[in-house]
Amino acid sequence: MKAIQQLTLVIFFGLIAGCATMNETSRLAGKWKLTESLADPGDGSGKWNAVTNESYLTFNTDGSVSSTDSPNFQTYKVLDSVKLEFTLNDGRKQVVSYKTEGSTLTLTPQCIEACGSKYVKVN
């Protein structure tokens, strides 16, 4: 009987974790327009700057991703509430931190100096 209760708990928490990932995936799904970028020259003086070119990142609910700036991106996977994993054309994986606030998405890849991109959802 105790084994059945433990199994039930494992399944329950697994379903909750899966639902959280699905919620994050559905929140990311859609087309995002790049609005700001952050680049630091190495002295901590980096600031978010407006972007004037038309650049988009599209997350699809099937896990595929496309970008006008990074055509190497093939798929994405929500690892947890703050990390995404992109798979590139050559099979390499790239993990980036992400944060959503309303209709804004901030991506911060692993850089030696501060770097990042901010997007606004367009659909």
Side-chain angles (χ1 to χ4, degrees):
M1 186 67 154
K2 191 171 187 176
I4 293 173
Q5 288 174 332
Q6 289 174 338
L7 181 61
T8 302
L9 283 174
V10 168
I11 292 170
F12 176 73
F13 286 115
L15 288 172
I16 288 174
C19 289
T21 301
M22 286 183 353
N23 287 341
E24 289 298 316
T25 301
S26 63
R27 185 184 342 219
L28 288 172
K31 189 173 185 177
W32 299 81
K33 181 180 180 181
L34 180 65
T35 57
E36 295 179 69
S37 67
L38 170 67
D40 189 283
D43 62 4
S45 66
K47 294 184 172 115
W48 288 100
N49 295 304
V51 174
T52 57
N53 62 328
E54 293 282 318
S55 182
Y56 296 93
L57 180 63
T58 304
F59 293 95
N60 300 304
T61 56
D62 67 357
S64 62
V65 63
S66 61
S67 171
T68 55
D69 282 342
S70 300
N72 294 346
F73 289 166
Q74 285 286 305
T75 63
Y76 74 99
K77 179 180 177 183
V78 177
L79 298 178
D80 58 35
S81 63
V82 296
K83 298 272 187 213
L84 291 175
E85 178 183 78
F86 290 102
T87 302
L88 308 179
N89 289 340
D90 62 7
R92 287 182 297 132
K93 310 274 187 201
Q94 180 180 3
V95 175
V96 301
S97 297
Y98 80 100
K99 180 178 169 182
T100 55
E101 292 180 307
S103 62
T104 301
L105 168 67
T106 304
L107 297 179
T108 50
Q110 297 172 349
C111 301
I112 294 171
E113 306 300 338
C115 64
S117 304
K118 285 187 182 179
Y119 297 83
V120 172
K121 197 164 195 178
V122 293
N123 73 5

